[in-house]
Amino acid sequence: DSGVTQTPKHLITATGQRVTLRCSPRSGDLSVYWYQQSLDQGLQFLIQYYNGEERAKGNILERFSAQQFPDLHSELNLSSLELGDSALYFCASSVGVDGAYEQYFGPGTRLTVT
Amino acid sequence: AQKITQTQPGMFVQEKEAVTLDCTYDTSDQSYGLFWYKQPSSGEMIFLIYQGSYDEQNATEGRYSLNFQKARKSANLVISASQLGDSAMYFCAMRETSSGGSYIPTFGRGTSLIVHP
């Protein structure tokens, strides 16, 4: 158990809908990262927050947004969902801001868009 | 161009033997970090080992060691004394600096390792 929690574990929804994925980092970790893992794209970095502020942006679509709250939990919002958004979404946390420390991954949320 | 290349989509090893998983990277940064993660069939990503670009010694963590050859831009993972529980996907990853000064992690496509009894 990495200490990172993600909810829900599975999510099935229809095209055009909006969903919110939630992540609680390990105690003491200030950085939260979001990743998308799919068969065709592999593991793609989406976005990083550090202590409530957006820190780094990767291949995140404009339909996707995230935030980190004062209690350090984070939410990833996916809107206008398309079939291609079906993937495993991971949240990870780390102590530092600069990625020099290992990241601890949550169990992931499997999103299926039908 | 891919920043992290893992050329072995699948590897097989006999239990108790050592195995090397290849990883080459591409960066123009002077300061960067290299990581290896394991993803068992259950799906979770497990951190294994980290090597900083300025670290002169190869990183080791138990049965895992990282064979870091900076001039060749390679960071191969060596697993000694393989165990059945080592069967999993293994991902090489790099942390480098973006043009905006933030640190972006990039993952390879992974290598599937199967350990035979």
Side-chain angles (χ1 to χ4, degrees):
Chain A
D1 186 347
S2 66
V4 178
T5 60
Q6 286 188 251
T7 57
K9 204 173 173 83
H10 300 278
L11 199 48
I12 302 174
T13 189
T15 54
Q17 295 297 304
R18 173 190 167 95
V19 297
T20 297
L21 313 184
R22 184 188 166 102
C23 167
S24 291
R26 286 190 326 157
S27 176
D29 285 357
L30 298 179
S31 272
V32 169
Y33 302 77
W34 285 99
Y35 294 90
Q36 179 194 60
Q37 186 178 35
S38 62
L39 279 174
D40 53 342
Q41 297 287 330
L43 192 64
Q44 298 278 318
F45 165 69
L46 296 178
I47 196 163
Q48 177 202 1
Y49 277 82
Y50 177 77
N51 204 18
E53 300 284 326
E54 182 183 304
R55 186 68 189 177
K57 224 166 182 175
N59 301 322
I60 188 165
L61 299 172
E62 283 194 16
R63 300 183 285 109
F64 296 0
S65 65
Q67 53 184 326
Q68 186 179 28
F69 295 87
D71 67 352
L72 300 178
H73 92 270
S74 178
E75 291 180 357
L76 179 68
N77 300 297
L78 315 176
S79 61
S80 303
L81 285 167
E82 302 173 0
L83 295 177
D85 297 328
S86 295
L88 187 56
Y89 289 85
F90 283 110
C91 160
S93 73
S94 70
V95 167
V97 64
D98 64 0
Y101 299 93
E102 62 267 30
Q103 296 178 22
Y104 291 88
F105 281 72
T109 293
R110 184 162 296 280
L111 173 67
T112 303
V113 183
T114 61
Chain B
Q2 284 191 27
K3 288 185 173 286
I4 296 283
T5 303
Q6 295 181 252
T7 56
Q8 308 151 312
M11 289 283 286
F12 296 87
V13 66
Q14 202 75 24
E15 197 178 5
K16 298 180 186 154
E17 297 290 313
V19 63
T20 298
L21 306 184
D22 294 342
C23 172
T24 57
Y25 60 92
D26 181 24
T27 183
S28 55
D29 280 6
Q30 295 301 306
S31 174
Y32 52 90
L34 296 153
F35 302 79
W36 277 92
Y37 287 86
K38 171 185 177 182
Q39 187 175 36
S41 58
S42 51
E44 74 270 29
M45 295 283 288
I46 302 165
F47 166 77
L48 296 178
I49 198 166
Y50 168 78
Q51 178 88 40
S53 57
Y54 291 120
D55 296 339
E56 293 187 356
Q57 300 252 356
N58 285 342
T60 60
E61 288 285 348
R63 295 186 298 110
Y64 304 107
S65 60
L66 202 153
N67 183 0
F68 182 46
Q69 297 187 40
K70 200 169 180 177
R72 292 186 176 188
K73 292 190 174 178
S74 77
N76 298 337
L77 177 70
V78 181
I79 305 174
S80 62
S82 297
Q83 302 172 356
L84 296 178
D86 293 336
S87 295
M89 281 291 287
Y90 288 81
F91 292 92
C92 179
M94 175 172 63
R95 179 266 301 166
E96 58 178 343
T97 311
S98 73
S99 56
S102 55
Y103 293 87
I104 302 291
T106 307
F107 283 72
R109 296 306 297 260
T111 294
S112 173
L113 176 67
I114 295 176
V115 180
H116 288 299

